[in-house]
Amino acid sequence: MQPIFIDLPMCEPAGEFLAPPIGGYGGDYCYAAPFLVRAAVLSNAVCKNLNPRSEQSGMQIINILKNFGAVVKRSGESVQVSKSALKAAAVDISDCKRLAPICCVLAMFAKGRSVVTGFKGSEQLLLSLEISLKNLGARCEAGPDRLWIWKCERISDAVISAGDNIYMAMAFIALASMTKKQVAVRAPAALLRRYPGFLEQFGYKI
């Protein structure tokens, strides 16, 4: 299938949403991550259906947000994240590389220099993220298995290609919704099949 081109204006998604299920694990933390990160940067959101005893590796997004200084509150299977004064942090995504793109977006809004490590064996992902961040005007530097990222003071107009990575697509679509700049994303059509409600959260009509 041909990729889809998402040209999303700055907008405000619903403040409460349900994480889509993944097998028998409850709601998917990786699918919820873009909305939780967006809330930490700009607003407030509550995500339901996130099992606090989940065995998903993506559950580490909760601790990652806390390490960046985000205000995170949990009540049963609901997680609330509020706009916070974010500070630089070190993130190891080796156990869940699906979180790498949204962690890089989060780092763009955190004061100081953050580092995302754990890219061993995923050098193409590292390169793609470095190119995308620089296209957006962010200062970043790549090492053998890591990416240093400084707070981005001014986002640039850009077209981002997510290739076949739906998590990269979701991360940069979420970013596009946070800026008045023209940020468009070439996303894999698989995004609509695997998480059909994602774009609906932003009021985007296919």
Side-chain angles (χ1 to χ4, degrees):
M1 296 179 67
Q2 292 295 318
I4 52 177
F5 189 81
I6 308 298
D7 190 0
L8 190 71
M10 187 175 186
C11 59
E12 185 64 43
E16 185 175 295
F17 62 99
L18 195 70
I22 173 173
Y25 291 105
D28 190 317
Y29 278 85
C30 289
Y31 285 166
F35 296 106
L36 299 178
V37 166
R38 189 190 187 285
V41 173
L42 199 61
S43 56
N44 180 78
V46 176
C47 181
K48 298 182 177 181
N49 197 34
L50 291 175
N51 185 348
R53 293 174 294 280
S54 175
E55 297 178 1
Q56 298 174 52
S57 58
M59 186 177 176
Q60 63 185 285
I61 188 60
I62 303 301
N63 286 331
I64 289 170
L65 283 162
K66 290 179 179 178
N67 288 342
F68 274 92
V71 177
V72 180
K73 297 179 181 178
R74 181 185 278 283
S75 177
E77 293 194 347
S78 294
V79 174
Q80 179 180 10
V81 178
S82 304
K83 181 180 178 180
S84 312
L86 301 172
K87 62 183 187 302
V91 179
D92 183 354
I93 50 86
S94 56
D95 290 334
C96 188
K97 292 182 173 63
R98 297 185 300 277
L99 289 177
I102 196 61
C103 288
C104 289
V105 169
L106 179 59
M108 288 176 62
F109 294 92
K111 183 178 180 180
R113 185 187 72 167
S114 299
V115 61
V116 181
T117 65
F119 287 97
K120 186 176 181 180
S122 298
E123 288 75 16
Q124 185 57 51
L125 174 61
L126 173 60
L127 177 61
S128 296
L129 287 169
E130 180 187 16
I131 291 171
S132 297
L133 294 182
K134 288 181 176 178
N135 285 345
L136 287 162
R139 178 187 172 192
C140 60
E141 295 178 7
D145 71 336
R146 64 196 60 213
L147 190 61
W148 288 276
I149 305 164
W150 283 258
K151 181 177 181 180
C152 185
E153 301 296 341
R154 182 177 298 178
I155 295 173
S156 302
D157 295 342
V159 175
I160 303 298
S161 178
D164 62 355
N165 190 321
I166 67 168
Y167 301 99
M168 187 166 169
M170 289 193 295
F172 289 110
I173 289 169
L175 172 66
S177 78
M178 293 190 280
T179 176
K180 293 181 179 179
K181 293 293 185 178
Q182 293 182 327
V183 176
V185 181
R186 288 194 179 97
L191 174 60
L192 301 181
R193 183 180 70 254
R194 294 176 62 182
Y195 189 177
F198 179 75
L199 291 171
E200 293 176 7
Q201 296 284 348
F202 299 102
Y204 191 87
K205 305 297 182 183
I206 302 299

